[in-house]
C-alpha cells in the first residue's frame, strides 16, 4: 500500500483496524465503518479498500455484493462478481425485484482474505479515533455517484452491474 502512495499513517491505521475486527465480521467488512471509526475521509477509505482488492501484490480483500429484498430485507442474491441485470425473486416473500431497482438494494462489503498480523504497539488498548462510534450505514451501489468523483480507483469497486 505504501507503493500506492498512501500515507504511512493510513496504512498503519488500516492494518490496525483490520486486526481489531471480530472474527465474525471479517467476511463483511464495511469501508464506511472504517471511515467512521478512524475519522478518515470516505474517498480515501474507498481508495484504500480498492487497492486492497485490485492490487495483485496486496490481494488482501475481496468484494462481495448482496442484494436485499425491498419488502422484507431478506438476502436475495450474493456474488463476488457481476450481478446479471435480470429480475430477482425473493424466496422469503415472493417479491420480484426489477432490474432498475437492483442497485438501490445492493450492498457492497468486503471479505478479508489474509489473516491480519497483530501489530506491536506501545498502545495496546488504543481504541478507534472516531467520536461517533457506532454502526455506519451500509455501502450501497446506489451511493456510487456520491463517492466516485471521477476517481477510477473507486469506480472499479462498483463495477458489478
Amino acid at each position: 500500500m505504501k507503493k500506492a502512495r498512501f500515507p504511512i499513517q493510513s496504512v498503519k491505521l488500516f492494518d490496525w483496524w483490520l486486526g481489531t475486527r471480530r472474527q465474525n465480521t471479517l467476511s463483511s467488512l464495511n469501508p464506511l465503518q472504517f471511515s467512521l471509526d478512524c475519522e478518515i475521509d470516505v474517498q480515501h477509505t474507498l481508495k484504500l479498500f480498492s487497492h486492497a482488492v485490485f492490487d495483485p501484490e496486496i490481494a488482501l480483500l475481496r468484494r462481495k455484493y448482496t442484494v436485499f429484498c425491498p419488502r422484507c430485507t431478506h438476502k436475495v442474491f450474493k456474488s463476488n462478481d457481476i450481478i446479471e441485470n435480470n429480475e430477482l425473486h425473493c424466496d422469503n416473500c415472493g417479491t420480484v425485484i426489477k432490474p432498475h431497482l437492483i442497485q438501490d438494494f445492493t450492498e457492497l462489503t468486503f471479505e478479508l482474505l489474509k489473516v491480519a498480523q497483530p501489530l506491536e504497539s506501545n498502545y495496546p488498548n488504543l481504541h478507534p479515533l472516531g467520536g461517533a462510534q457506532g454502526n455506519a450505514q451500509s455501502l450501497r451501489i446506489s451511493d456510487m455517484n456520491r463517492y466516485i468523483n471521477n476517481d477510477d480507483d473507486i469506480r472499479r469497486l462498483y463495477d458489478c452491474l
Side-chain angles (χ1 to χ4, degrees):
M1 295 246 191
K2 294 174 200 169
K3 291 179 188 175
R5 298 188 184 137
F6 287 106
I8 188 68
Q9 299 89 340
S10 295
V11 174
K12 286 183 177 184
L13 194 56
F14 188 49
D15 285 345
W16 172 82
W17 185 81
L18 288 171
T20 60
R21 302 298 88 200
R22 292 185 317 236
Q23 187 67 33
N24 64 340
T25 65
L26 296 178
S27 64
S28 60
L29 298 167
N30 179 354
L32 298 182
Q33 188 67 53
F34 173 63
S35 179
L36 177 69
D37 288 347
C38 300
E39 293 184 344
I40 292 183
D41 177 70
V42 174
Q43 277 79 19
H44 185 73
T45 295
L46 291 173
K47 284 183 179 194
L48 279 168
F49 274 73
S50 180
H51 279 275
V53 169
F54 293 107
D55 187 325
E57 292 180 27
I58 299 171
L60 182 64
L61 301 173
R62 173 178 32 217
R63 294 180 298 180
K64 293 174 61 177
Y65 301 105
T66 306
V67 180
F68 291 92
C69 175
R71 177 171 283 156
C72 71
T73 68
H74 181 75
K75 290 180 183 177
V76 175
F77 181 81
K78 293 168 101 173
S79 175
N80 293 333
D81 203 13
I82 302 297
I83 299 172
E84 295 297 327
N85 202 10
N86 299 324
E87 287 184 347
L88 296 174
H89 300 272
C90 178
D91 293 335
N92 190 50
C93 71
T95 297
V96 175
I97 306 169
K98 300 288 184 187
H100 69 278
L101 293 175
I102 291 175
Q103 78 174 18
D104 291 335
F105 297 96
T106 301
E107 180 179 279
L108 173 59
T109 58
F110 297 84
E111 178 179 8
L112 185 65
L113 298 176
K114 298 177 182 174
V115 177
Q117 299 298 317
L119 296 174
E120 291 186 26
S121 172
N122 295 332
Y123 309 101
N125 296 320
L126 183 67
H127 296 289
L129 303 174
Q133 291 179 11
N135 290 330
Q137 66 183 7
S138 63
L139 183 60
R140 299 285 175 153
I141 299 304
S142 58
D143 294 334
M144 175 173 51
N145 291 330
R146 177 198 279 174
Y147 297 124
I148 288 181
N149 295 334
N150 295 322
D151 188 304
D152 289 337
D153 286 335
I154 296 173
R155 182 183 312 283
R156 64 186 176 179
L157 291 174
Y158 290 95
D159 290 340
C160 68
L161 297 173

